[in-house]
Amino acid sequence: MADSTVPPKTTSTSDTDSDQDSSESTNSEFPITQSAQLRQHTKTVSCLALDPAGARLVSGSYDYTLNLWDFAGMDSTLRPFRTVEPFGEYQIRDVQFSPSGDRFLVASGACIPKLFDRDGDTLAEYAKGDMYLRDLRRTAGHTMALTQVGWHPTNKTRFYTASLDGTVRFWDTERTNKHQQIILVRPKGRPARNPVHAALYTSDASSFVCATGDGSLSVWSTKGNPSRPLSCVDEAHITGSEVTSLALSIDQHTLASRATDDTVKLWDLRQFKKPLAVRSGLALHHPETQVIFSPNDRYIVTGTGTNQEQQEGGRLVFLNKDTLEEVDHYQEESKASVVSILWHSRINQIVYGCGGTGTIRALYDPSTSVRGIKLAMDKQPKKRDAFVGELKPTIVNPHSLPMFRAHPPDKRKSGRGTDRVPERPVSGHGHGGRIGSNEVQRIMKTLMKEPAPAEDPREALLKYAQEAEENPYWITPAYTSGSVKKATSEHPSARKKPRRD
């Protein structure tokens, strides 16, 4: 298998792998003869979504980001046109395009679903539930992390969300404050909650399939708020195992389930009691590992984890729909697991995301595949003008030129004289040895004068004592007239009285 001429780069770039060895696949129904790598994520690619036309791809990852790829606008460097971080530091769990392709839903480790347009701008954010209410039917939204999100098959304004809080809630895109309908999956036994790991609509939207944490599969009616399922298979998978994905065939009768017990099982919804076929030995390491049906409804496709004993990467496995026997497989070149999978019928291309490395691989057949990633593979990046690329911009500070200086520079003085801008007052707590102040303090300081320094009253009077003795003005002249007897300095009470014997 030979790689294309684009060399591997950092995680912000992409490279391509082409000219796959056709001997790896003997079945021409599988478009896996050539491949291209999209390297933008840094961690596990947990979910992928293609619009109905197959022109735009959205990828979500454990690195908290969504990448939007436009095949018609990309060149052979395979870079996304936009990267967003919609939920902060929450892993992206699921993403689904609407049937019309004009918007998409995103579910993450947070309990709030969000709606985006096809360019990655947020359109709506839906309500969060009250985690302190025991009755989950009375909360406006989910109280724990979301696991899956999906659209109504016929109504473009309705969608559903599944969560670890044990509920499936049905929403209207225009009503963000509360869900419209709820399915509460009650646990069997002591656990307080029965988390819903996977869910999907049937094609006519008359029923809903849920996979829960106790290993059971159940079918619910979508009319009203049902309290019990229509049918249920207890321990469909090993108790404690997590059902990572559900898929429904085109005939709407065959259900495929993938779980962490390393199995893929087939079920008939008309006789929902025991599996039609079981395929074991399909190891996985990520709870988002998917299972899908091929566009011709003849095969089932799923991914496997890495084989640490043989030091091999995961595989993309093609199974017969009726017997679950392996028909073909694609070996991942890197030592990474195959997690999220898409097979778009319109462009006949397979896209899957890898675990750990953050790589997205697009598989196609030059003879049967159309558009999609092939548009970008044939488009060379624009060449930059050599002169413009080598031209280094020069930044000139006007005050550094002599003609802009008010006075000739003086080496003994620092600054630029009259051109020096005064320091701005420091706001807040202050820094760099300067005390901060607010606007009111600065205004009052300019309006009010500085108070005189404080002086001792006794000292203030004593400095006039000598002058008062030499030049008496008020008290001494008053006694010279003879009409007033001068008072002695001795207090009357202190005079000695004659002693009586």
Side-chain angles (χ1 to χ4, degrees), residues 490 492-499:
E490 185 179 0
S493 62
R495 296 175 183 175
K496 296 183 179 180
K497 296 180 179 181
R499 184 176 181 181

Side-chain angles (χ1 to χ4, degrees), residues 229-247:
L230 300 175
S231 58
C232 181
V233 179
D234 296 332
E235 298 182 358
H237 289 272
I238 298 176
T239 303
S241 62
E242 182 176 340
V243 178
T244 61
S245 177
L246 295 174

Side-chain angles (χ1 to χ4, degrees), residues 28 90 97 102 135 144 158 242 260 288 347 483 486:
S28 60
Y90 283 99
F97 260 107
D102 60 337
D135 189 358
M144 297 181 69
R158 296 287 302 274
E242 182 176 340
T260 55
E288 292 83 12
I347 60 177
S483 60
K486 185 177 181 180

Side-chain angles (χ1 to χ4, degrees), residues 60 69 120 191 254 259 413 478:
W69 317 75
T254 306
K413 298 181 181 179

Side-chain angles (χ1 to χ4, degrees), residues 257-258 262-266 277-279 282 291 300 302 324:
S257 62
R258 181 79 161 101
D262 299 343
T263 62
V264 171
K265 294 186 178 182
L266 284 181
V278 178
R279 174 73 180 187
L282 302 174
V291 60
I300 294 176
T302 187
L324 292 184

Side-chain angles (χ1 to χ4, degrees), residues 168-226:
V168 177
R169 300 176 190 264
F170 302 88
W171 307 77
D172 188 279
T173 55
E174 304 300 329
R175 183 182 179 185
T176 60
N177 58 345
K178 190 177 181 180
H179 63 269
Q180 287 191 333
Q181 187 182 354
I182 183 175
I183 292 178
L184 175 59
V185 183
R186 301 185 183 277
K188 295 181 180 179
R190 293 184 177 180
R193 302 184 188 275
N194 194 10
V196 181
H197 294 299
L200 56 80
Y201 267 114
T202 56
S203 61
D204 56 357
S206 61
S207 56
F208 198 81
V209 185
C210 296
T212 54
D214 57 0
S216 64
L217 298 176
S218 56
V219 180
W220 299 72
S221 174
T222 57
K223 297 180 180 178
N225 293 323

